[in-house]
Amino acid sequence: MTEKKLLMGNEAIAFGAIEAGVQVVTGYPGTPSTEALETIARHAEKCGVYAEWSSNEKVALETAAGAAYSGAKALVTMKQVGLNVASDPLMSLTYIGVKGALVLLVADDPGPHSSQTEQDTRSFGHFANIPVLDPASPQEAYELTKLAFEISHQFEVPVILRTTTRVSHSSGDVELLNSEPSPVEAFCEGFTKDRRWTIFPRLTAERHPWLENVQVQLSDLFSELKYNSVSGSGKIGIMASGVSALYVKEAVKGFEELFTLFRVGTVYPFPEKAALSFLKGIEKLIVVEELDPYLEEQALQLIGRAHLPADVYGKKNGFFPVSGEYNVDIIIDCINKVLAELGETSRLSHSAPAIPRSGLPPLPVRAPTLCAGCMHRTVFYAFKQASKQLKKDFQVETIFSGDIGCYTLGNAHPLNMVDTCLCMGAGMSIAGGLSRANPGVKQVAFIGDSTFFHSGIPAVINAVYNGSDVTLAVLDNRTTAMTGHQTHPGIGVTVLGSPSKAVDISDVIRSCGVELVRSVDIDSLENSLEGCIEAAKEAVEFKGPSAVVFKGKCVGITKPVIRFEIDTESCTGCGLCVKQLGCPALFLPAGEEKPVIQESCSGCGLCAQVCPSGAILETGVKK
């Protein structure tokens, strides 16, 4: 007896994992994957599941692997760039395998909406010999999660469940076995000592043929599954996977007699027998997929080996975009290009919008910016003033290296305080490299608290060991803010809400050998800007590695108790507050000479501290 429930794709994955009997869940928050672990955490105590936010994806995978070695069913969650961090243990883990079950949820981000890259995890699975399942909807996400655990346990290999933003964050009715998660079985096998768990060259040589044979078995198995399905009987074939397959169904609505659609839900190992059965009789094949031409390459290889007389239209010959997120309109236009090439008179039509496009109001334009009252703005402004003083007193320029997090937005005008940004934890390392190539220039690296624990510590050690003249500014707002305020080792509470030992960032930095370490509590200073500037000046004038840990509250999770307003009589209209801070609560109305403070003010008071005429005043408790 099944029950329907409206679920986001990530929530459906969580329900599927619990129904599959998952016992250990680890991960690192990263959009669009985060909600899967958070959903499991909400039910963890009731269901007897252990869940944790790990310090990074590598640690998360290694922790899950240890559980899977012991017979547990484990899930690891991450986004596509997190797979880069986890790739080192994963490449070896494919040879070793597991005893229980190990599933990796890897959420890709075509677009990208909130990522550094548009990586395609299907290609990574192919590269690493790891099975990849590619759901197209929340319902399939739920079902394929359970299938992933079955395959992992049966074949003793890790399995990747690859989603994309539109699958992870879309919602739909999902048929569940249980609308409320039930307790999972406690695992009791335990770890058995065996040479299999120690990856030496001899073991690798023995296991590689086994691993390749598993790929053949899985390809045959996948060819029999319903997730690789054929619909329609038209003379033009279409091959698609993931959410692209749903876009195709919408695009060809009303023209189904022209096409035969092959939906691929188990993308690696490629279901060759099912694909070959589909391709026989198909002379024109359209391949629709976001990001890499993975299916297209698989189809071309199969067509070549089988000597089939089929022409392929996809990314490689310019009929579909090679990057970016797809939608129904893009696919309609691309299929119409193919139809024109084939001399077909039929053309797919766009559905008319409910409101004519000409009648739609323009969307408001809002550039990415730090929240009103964000402590990061105070720190950036403080370092800007300190660097100006450094240049004035010592004729020394400053380069500012950023990192991944909310504070990356410090690169925007008018702050302009992030000169480099590469990947998590790279700011300090890049600053060290810049210091070698730019002698006489001061290097400042910004990093967030969660990112510091994720991958910042090795860079601090490297700077100390090699004597880099770098200042590290840690922006500690007591949360993993960018991905939705998840916990981390510096907070003192786990994802399950239980208290834990809070790891002090200043102590960690001192233990790495940094001689000058200062801690500034922005919220407790009467004049936070002045205190931040003094700490910044001391750090940048220090020769060798130095660090300042700035502590404050994230305004995204704290309720303002005061706000500020502008005394129009005292205000001179200099515009300094608007021009230098870029706070979204400060606004200069069109045609006006004096700014106003909007209701979004969180009461940080930075604007009051920079106002040269003292015209910005506290108004009391905010209602």
Side-chain angles (χ1 to χ4, degrees):
M1 182 76 178
T2 61
E3 300 178 63
K4 279 190 177 182
K5 192 166 186 173
L6 181 65
L7 295 175
M8 182 190 294
N10 282 339
E11 294 173 316
I13 291 167
F15 275 73
I18 293 173
E19 284 191 17
V22 70
Q23 294 145 329
V24 175
V25 184
T26 63
Y28 186 82
T31 305
S33 71
T34 309
E35 297 84 2
L37 191 148
E38 288 182 328
T39 302
I40 291 174
R42 288 198 296 271
H43 299 282
E45 185 176 357
K46 170 187 172 184
C47 296
V49 177
Y50 172 76
E52 72 172 36
W53 284 126
S54 307
S55 55
N56 66 26
E57 296 85 358
K58 179 177 183 293
V59 172
L61 178 57
E62 291 161 351
T63 302
Y69 287 173
S70 305
K73 293 180 179 179
L75 172 70
V76 190
T77 71
M78 65 193 72
K79 65 187 297 179
Q80 86 281 13
V81 287
L83 187 58
N84 299 338
V85 182
S87 62
D88 189 13
L90 185 58
M91 294 299 295
S92 297
L93 191 59
T94 58
Y95 287 85
I96 289 180
V98 296
K99 186 166 70 172
L102 179 57
V103 175
L104 290 83
L105 165 62
V106 184
D108 288 359
D109 187 20
H113 295 278
S114 59
S115 307
Q116 306 97 290
T117 69
E118 283 190 299
Q119 292 168 223
D120 192 326
T121 297
R122 298 176 304 165
S123 297
F124 191 100
H126 188 195
F127 166 59
N129 274 340
I130 300 172
V132 181
L133 310 182
D134 193 9
S137 64
Q139 179 69 47
E140 283 196 358
Y142 164 74
E143 295 176 9
L144 287 177
T145 299
K146 296 197 290 185
L147 178 63
F149 278 98
E150 293 173 12
I151 293 170
S152 180
H153 182 69
Q154 179 182 347
F155 291 89
E156 298 188 344
V157 293
V159 176
I160 290 176
L161 180 72
R162 179 254 190 178
T163 66
T164 57
T165 304
R166 297 303 172 190
V167 175
S168 285
H169 284 171
S170 66
S171 296
D173 284 338
V174 178
E175 288 194 359
L176 303 170
L177 288 179
N178 299 293
S179 60
E180 290 299 324
S182 303
V184 300
E185 291 183 9
F187 65 93
C188 56
E189 287 187 51
F191 180 75
T192 302
K193 293 186 178 183
D194 191 306
R195 62 181 290 270
R196 168 186 172 183
W197 308 121
T198 308
I199 189 163
F200 287 126
R202 179 183 173 186
L203 179 68
T204 300
E206 292 174 357
R207 297 285 286 184
H208 197 173
W210 164 82
L211 182 59
E212 295 296 340
N213 183 54
V214 166
Q215 311 311 305
V216 176
Q217 295 178 54
L218 286 170
S219 177
D220 291 344
L221 171 66
F222 287 173
S223 290
E224 303 298 323
L225 297 179
K226 67 177 182 179
Y227 303 103
N228 301 307
S229 61
V230 177
S231 59
S233 57
K235 61 182 180 180
I236 300 173
I238 300 179
M239 183 181 294
S241 75
V243 74
S244 294
L246 299 187
Y247 295 155
V248 168
K249 290 189 72 174
E250 182 70 21
V252 302
K253 192 174 291 184
F255 295 84
E256 290 88 350
E257 73 281 355
L258 276 177
F259 305 101
T260 300
L261 172 62
F262 179 45
R263 287 185 56 188
V264 186
T266 62
V267 289
Y268 182 80
F270 189 63
E272 288 197 358
K273 290 182 178 178
L276 192 59
S277 175
F278 157 72
L279 287 169
K280 288 179 178 177
I282 296 292
E283 296 184 0
K284 309 296 179 183
L285 175 66
I286 301 171
V287 183
V288 183
E289 55 187 332
E290 291 176 323
L291 303 182
D292 292 351
Y294 168 75
L295 292 179
E296 186 175 355
E297 290 175 353
Q298 298 300 310
L300 286 167
Q301 291 180 32
L302 188 57
I303 288 167
R305 290 204 312 270
H307 306 290
L308 299 176
D311 295 326
V312 179
Y313 302 86
K315 295 174 183 284
K316 289 184 172 292
N317 47 8
F319 285 92
F320 284 83
V322 298
S323 62
E325 188 177 34
Y326 285 4
N327 57 43
V328 175
D329 287 339
I330 289 174
I331 289 175
I332 286 173
D333 291 339
C334 293
I335 292 179
N336 281 338
K337 282 169 57 179
V338 176
L339 294 176
E341 178 74 11
L342 298 179
E344 291 283 345
T345 57
S346 299
R347 294 290 185 276
L348 307 185
S349 56
H350 294 270
S351 298
I355 304 174
R357 286 195 172 93
S358 58
L360 290 173
L363 293 173
V365 178
R366 181 185 183 274
T369 185
L370 296 168
C371 296
C374 177
M375 61 161 280
H376 302 340
R377 183 178 286 104
T378 301
V379 176
F380 284 133
Y381 190 78
F383 269 96
K384 177 174 281 191
Q385 303 311 307
S387 66
K388 288 180 180 177
Q389 195 66 43
L390 189 68
K391 183 176 182 179
K392 178 181 177 182
D393 294 344
F394 304 104
Q395 290 73 55
V396 173
E397 298 286 347
T398 308
I399 298 174
F400 300 99
S401 293
D403 224 299
I404 302 298
C406 295
Y407 44 90
T408 310
L409 297 172
N411 75 321
H413 179 79
L415 292 172
N416 301 316
M417 287 293 290
V418 175
D419 298 317
T420 76
C421 181
L422 178 64
C423 63
M424 291 191 74
M428 188 69 167
S429 303
I430 287 177
L434 288 167
S435 71
R436 305 303 174 186
N438 299 270
V441 177
K442 185 65 185 185
Q443 305 297 327
V444 176
F446 298 105
I447 193 170
D449 43 344
S450 186
T451 306
F452 175 82
F453 289 113
H454 179 278
S455 48
I457 297 172
V460 176
I461 295 172
N462 191 67
V464 172
Y465 175 62
N466 292 293
S468 301
D469 185 18
V470 176
T471 293
L472 179 66
V474 182
L475 304 165
D476 183 4
N477 59 4
R478 311 288 296 164
T479 186
T480 312
M482 191 176 193
T483 50
H485 308 112
Q486 290 79 30
T487 59
H488 64 64
I491 294 175
V493 64
T494 70
V495 69
L496 302 179
S498 57
S500 67
K501 174 70 175 178
V503 180
D504 186 86
I505 294 175
S506 297
D507 289 346
V508 173
I509 296 174
R510 289 190 188 95
S511 72
C512 292
V514 178
E515 294 180 9
L516 176 66
V517 182
R518 297 288 180 263
S519 182
V520 178
D521 189 341
I522 295 178
D523 295 331
S524 68
L525 293 175
E526 289 186 12
N527 192 329
S528 61
L529 178 58
E530 182 180 338
C532 290
I533 292 174
E534 289 302 315
K537 284 174 62 179
E538 182 183 10
V540 297
E541 291 175 6
F542 185 82
K543 297 298 181 183
S546 61
V548 186
V549 180
F550 297 92
K551 297 181 178 181
K553 296 189 292 288
C554 175
V555 295
I557 53 176
T558 56
K559 183 179 180 180
V561 294
I562 60 172
R563 69 181 298 266
F564 287 78
E565 66 180 11
I566 295 174
D567 179 3
T568 55
E569 292 185 6
S570 303
C571 178
T572 63
C574 69
L576 188 72
C577 56
V578 174
K579 295 173 184 175
Q580 293 198 7
L581 300 182
C583 177
L586 281 161
F587 174 62
L588 184 63
E592 299 291 331
E593 295 181 355
K594 298 180 180 182
V596 296
I597 296 179
Q598 303 182 95
E599 286 293 323
S600 58
C601 172
S602 67
C604 74
L606 178 60
C607 56
Q609 296 174 65
V610 303
C611 178
S613 57
I616 303 179
L617 307 174
E618 182 180 321
T619 63
V621 178
K622 185 175 182 179
K623 301 298 183 185

